[in-house]
Amino acid sequence: MTTHERPAGPDDVTGTAPAPAPGAGADGDAGADARGVPATVVADPARLADTVELLGLVAQLEQVAFARLAADSAVAPTTDQRLQLSRFAAAAITRRDAVLARIVELGADPVAAIGQFDHVLDDFDARTQPSSWWERLLKAYVGYGVADDFCRLAADALDEESRRVVLAVLDDAAHAELAVAELDAAGADDGVLSARLALWGRRLVGEALGVVQRLLVQRPGLARLVAPSDAAPAPAVADQQASGVAAPANPPTKVFGELTAQHTRRMSRLGLTA
Amino acid sequence: MTTHERPAGPDDVTGTAPAPAPGAGADGDAGADARGVPATVVADPARLADTVELLGLVAQLEQVAFARLAADSAVAPTTDQRLQLSRFAAAAITRRDAVLARIVELGADPVAAIGQFDHVLDDFDARTQPSSWWERLLKAYVGYGVADDFCRLAADALDEESRRVVLAVLDDAAHAELAVAELDAAGADDGVLSARLALWGRRLVGEALGVVQRLLVQRPGLARLVAPSDAAPAPAVADQQASGVAAPANPPTKVFGELTAQHTRRMSRLGLTA
């Protein structure tokens, strides 16, 4: 998605981006140090803090995915599913650790970064207790799918390496494929189940969007990352200071439009009405 | 130990092992095919079944360890412990998959092999519900330690490659180290806790030995693997044939002696009375 990328304009060259190097002069390649940490991130403590905040959230979502997949594995109807689901759970830990490693590279504390989101989905989980194996699968696919989409949107505003790490983590869709295959097979010959799951999907997306809304209110750093002005490739210093660091007045409605559209796409893959 | 490897005799060359290459003597390395499956295992369906049975049990124990570590991670007192414990859980899945891969190499069905032990520790878990974080840690260290020791003993009777896989899996003691460090630190300055944990340890080992006893009664294959006649370094072929395949009349008391000794060693590492 390129919704947030402003076209590069004349004001861009005066920003914190590396100056065009006359024979790699004083500023040549000053934009990144040996760890792949762009100078803009290091030089701007507020932007660094926002980056670490998003990385902490992504790591926590993987931790939550691990716990959920492990629990799913314990109640899976067949041994084969148990084996697969616990393998997915283990993969979530590998992904989480990749994100934590990036936080360390940025010089921040990984335990504090993930720990601040320890209970981020507790409310969501309490309100959306699945009552069947199918509801459980759909919750994984739809509910956490919204959270992933949100992180993907916010990742557009990160430095290149952090964005690469986040997108790689979020794109590992093996578990989604399992959910799709099983739900599709189950719903195909059961109209009652399909209707019930469509209703469940609407409930899940409503609760999930509520989580995003609360996050944007409680976490100005995340709000800044998805704010349209922040997503410009290299904003002017003055703009950046004035608008980039302050939290935007309203949670961007564009974000919710995008999340809803992705949800609709996801449900239609299952042959369910969003 | 090479307990089950019959000295290559005339009967070996007529098995399913690949014909000896010209130039390699009649018996030269005919004992193993390209997958590392010894001809003795392949040629002897009963011994192959026993091997797969033990591998299934080891795989299941790793699956159970995964589920337990994942649950421990969910209730860990600190974020740091949560991160570590879920990492250990993920490692258990890697180990489980190594064992399942060996089952596939032996030409058996990994899902059936692990699935037959799906509820092997359910009773044990129901009878030993930890009431504190420390009891939980001790249960992991002591309770499942007995199961691991049993598998280690039985592994002596496997073909070389299967034994290597099992011992590698059981020797990955990172989680035990965590339990030891934490329990040691906690017990050092709390006599009441130490006394309580010593009592808990006795309860755990009693229940764990009960599990082993039931397994040996219900699973003649496992009983055959730990039967004393099998443990002789190089038994005569005739003895091996006669006694090695039939289930022994009594569960070997030597096994229980060994398991109890290991338990005592384990408790004393914690400064607790066994």
Side-chain angles (χ1 to χ4, degrees):
Chain A
M1 259 158 298
T2 55
T3 49
H4 292 131
E5 284 166 19
R6 276 197 322 199
D11 52 343
D12 285 321
V13 287
T14 60
T16 51
D27 289 335
D29 257 328
D33 69 10
R35 295 173 307 180
V37 181
T40 46
V41 168
V42 175
D44 180 347
R47 174 49 52 100
L48 176 60
D50 293 355
T51 299
V52 170
E53 193 161 357
L54 179 63
L55 292 172
L57 175 61
V58 173
Q60 183 63 47
L61 289 173
E62 292 300 325
Q63 179 73 34
V64 170
F66 160 78
R68 174 178 48 81
L69 289 163
D72 286 358
S73 155
V75 298
T78 70
T79 300
D80 205 31
Q81 284 167 323
R82 187 194 316 286
L83 298 182
Q84 267 196 285
L85 286 165
S86 47
R87 212 167 276 138
F88 293 146
I93 293 305
T94 305
R95 293 197 298 269
R96 180 203 68 189
D97 284 350
V99 179
L100 294 182
R102 179 61 188 159
I103 294 173
V104 171
E105 279 177 0
L106 290 171
D109 176 357
V111 175
I114 191 174
Q116 68 183 313
F117 291 106
D118 257 355
H119 303 288
V120 67
L121 290 186
D122 285 5
D123 265 10
F124 174 75
D125 281 332
R127 285 177 211 240
T128 55
Q129 291 287 328
S131 64
S132 72
W133 174 248
W134 307 116
E135 290 194 1
R136 205 175 250 270
L137 277 185
L138 191 63
K139 177 173 167 177
Y141 179 57
V142 161
Y144 299 105
V146 171
D148 284 2
D149 284 339
F150 171 75
C151 293
R152 218 173 265 124
L153 286 175
D156 278 348
L158 299 187
D159 65 275
E160 196 177 327
E161 177 59 12
S162 299
R163 184 168 58 245
R164 194 195 60 74
V165 169
V166 168
L167 295 182
V169 155
L170 297 176
D171 276 353
D172 184 349
H175 176 248
E177 295 306 322
L178 175 79
V180 169
E182 297 221 355
L183 287 166
D184 209 27
D189 42 278
D190 189 339
V192 175
L193 180 63
S194 284
R196 228 181 245 175
L197 287 176
L199 199 65
W200 177 241
R202 283 195 281 280
R203 173 123 168 259
L204 288 169
V205 77
E207 294 288 351
L209 292 175
V211 171
V212 172
Q213 189 132 33
R214 278 192 297 282
L215 271 177
L216 288 174
V217 170
Q218 291 163 3
R219 304 277 174 174
L222 297 178
R224 278 192 293 272
L225 290 175
V226 294
S229 62
D230 271 13
V237 172
D239 284 3
Q240 175 78 6
Q241 299 290 21
S243 70
V245 176
N250 303 310
T253 51
K254 203 162 181 178
V255 169
F256 289 96
E258 185 64 39
L259 295 178
T260 308
Q262 290 292 335
H263 169 69
T264 305
R265 185 191 56 78
R266 212 177 276 121
M267 291 295 276
S268 70
R269 272 190 75 189
L270 300 176
L272 298 177
T273 321
Chain B
M1 255 173 293
T2 54
T3 53
H4 284 132
E5 282 164 21
R6 285 186 316 189
D11 51 346
D12 283 320
V13 287
T14 59
T16 52
D27 288 339
D29 260 330
D33 68 10
R35 295 172 309 176
V37 182
T40 46
V41 168
V42 175
D44 181 347
R47 177 45 52 101
L48 175 60
D50 293 354
T51 299
V52 170
E53 192 160 358
L54 179 63
L55 291 172
L57 175 62
V58 174
Q60 182 64 47
L61 289 174
E62 292 299 325
Q63 178 74 33
V64 170
F66 160 78
R68 175 178 47 80
L69 288 162
D72 286 357
S73 156
V75 299
T78 69
T79 301
D80 205 31
Q81 284 167 322
R82 187 196 314 286
L83 298 182
Q84 267 195 286
L85 286 164
S86 46
R87 212 168 276 138
F88 293 146
I93 293 305
T94 305
R95 295 196 298 270
R96 180 204 70 190
D97 284 351
V99 179
L100 294 182
R102 180 60 189 160
I103 294 173
V104 171
E105 279 177 1
L106 290 171
D109 175 358
V111 175
I114 191 173
Q116 69 184 313
F117 291 107
D118 256 355
H119 303 287
V120 68
L121 290 186
D122 284 5
D123 265 9
F124 174 74
D125 280 331
R127 283 176 211 240
T128 55
Q129 290 288 328
S131 66
S132 71
W133 174 249
W134 308 116
E135 289 193 3
R136 203 177 252 270
L137 277 184
L138 191 64
K139 177 172 167 177
Y141 180 57
V142 161
Y144 300 105
V146 171
D148 283 2
D149 283 338
F150 172 75
C151 292
R152 215 173 266 122
L153 286 175
D156 278 349
L158 300 187
D159 65 277
E160 197 178 327
E161 176 60 11
S162 300
R163 183 167 62 246
R164 194 195 60 74
V165 169
V166 168
L167 295 182
V169 156
L170 297 176
D171 276 353
D172 184 349
H175 177 247
E177 293 308 322
L178 175 78
V180 169
E182 298 221 353
L183 286 166
D184 210 25
D189 42 278
D190 189 339
V192 176
L193 180 63
S194 284
R196 227 181 246 174
L197 288 176
L199 200 65
W200 177 242
R202 283 194 281 282
R203 172 120 170 261
L204 287 168
V205 77
E207 294 289 350
L209 292 175
V211 170
V212 172
Q213 189 132 33
R214 277 192 298 282
L215 271 177
L216 289 175
V217 170
Q218 291 162 4
R219 305 276 175 174
L222 296 178
R224 276 192 295 270
L225 290 175
V226 294
S229 61
D230 274 13
V237 172
D239 284 3
Q240 176 78 5
Q241 298 288 27
S243 70
V245 175
N250 301 312
T253 51
K254 201 165 182 177
V255 168
F256 289 96
E258 183 65 37
L259 294 178
T260 308
Q262 290 293 336
H263 169 69
T264 304
R265 186 191 54 79
R266 212 177 276 123
M267 291 296 274
S268 70
R269 271 190 75 191
L270 299 177
L272 298 176
T273 323

